[in-house]
Amino acid sequence: MILGMIKVEIPEQLSDALRNVRRVVVLTGAGVSAESNIPTFREAQTGLWEKYDPTELATPQAFNCNPRLVWDWYRWRRELISAAKPNPGHLALVEMEAHIPEFTLVTQNVDGLHRRAGSKNVLELHGNIMLTKCFDCGRGVEIEAGNPGELPRCRDCGGLLRPDVVWFGENLPAAAIEGAMQAARQAEVFFSIGTSALVQPAASLPLYAIQGGATVVEVNPAETPLSAQVQFVLRGPAGEVLPALVKVVWE
Ligand code: APR
């Protein structure tokens, strides 16, 4: 089937399995937002952030050492994300959810695009970049009051505010990761979409699904460490593969 730029082949065995399935889990990474013009983590950063490595900015140490630099990076990303729109890959996952009795969407992305697209059962493992909390007392805040040019501070304790996302070395929200692990273990079909499958604990989720006997599908234009362990590899961009899959299976 040629929908966009590429010819997408959907194996009949996979489309048959999806027509009768009850429990599906989808894990997404930055690749599903690439076609919304949000750079993935392991692609070179663009513009003035080209010389920075995200893994050296998204850490409590970096924030302690240079909170203004970290805030400038997140403000740049928030602007990028505010201008972004869900792409056909996000929208195809909304349609898939409507056809599946028990559908769980687990995302490593902090851009909120799955919810903006209309996905309902979403577990955000790494938080949401548009939310803010106090670095010291952890209190979530709606608005970042403060004078322009000054770093925003917590009204309760005076500590510095920070984006409410999970940084390297920090714990994931317990409810999200426990819910994701349980869903992965019980999945009949598990999709790994747009993720390099490198960062734990998310990278273990497809392995739990395999242990639970699930059929695992990878959607990614490139090979990953997971590719050799899955039953189906749909080699292409999510924004083209997912709409083709939904069309073949449910239309
Ligand atoms: N469609 C599908 N996949 C794509 C597309 C696309 N259009 N474009 C790129 N990809 C794939 C790349 O081949 C790569 O495998 O998306 C993946 C992006 O990988 P990463 O940049 O490592 O992003 P991700 O896997 O989400 O990173 C996981 O690491 O940096 C931390 O917390 C951060 O959540 C992030 C986590």
Side-chain angles (χ1 to χ4, degrees), residues 29-31 34-35 40-42 108 126 168 194-196 199 220-222 224 237-238:
E35 290 155 274
T40 64
F41 275 90
R42 282 158 189 84
Q108 301 171 87
H126 295 167
F168 288 99
T195 179
S196 55
V199 175
N220 195 319
T224 74

Side-chain angles (χ1 to χ4, degrees), residues 206-227:
L207 308 182
Y208 289 133
I210 291 170
Q211 285 164 13
T215 297
V216 183
V217 187
E218 179 174 70
V219 178
N220 195 319
E223 193 162 345
T224 74
L226 184 67
S227 302

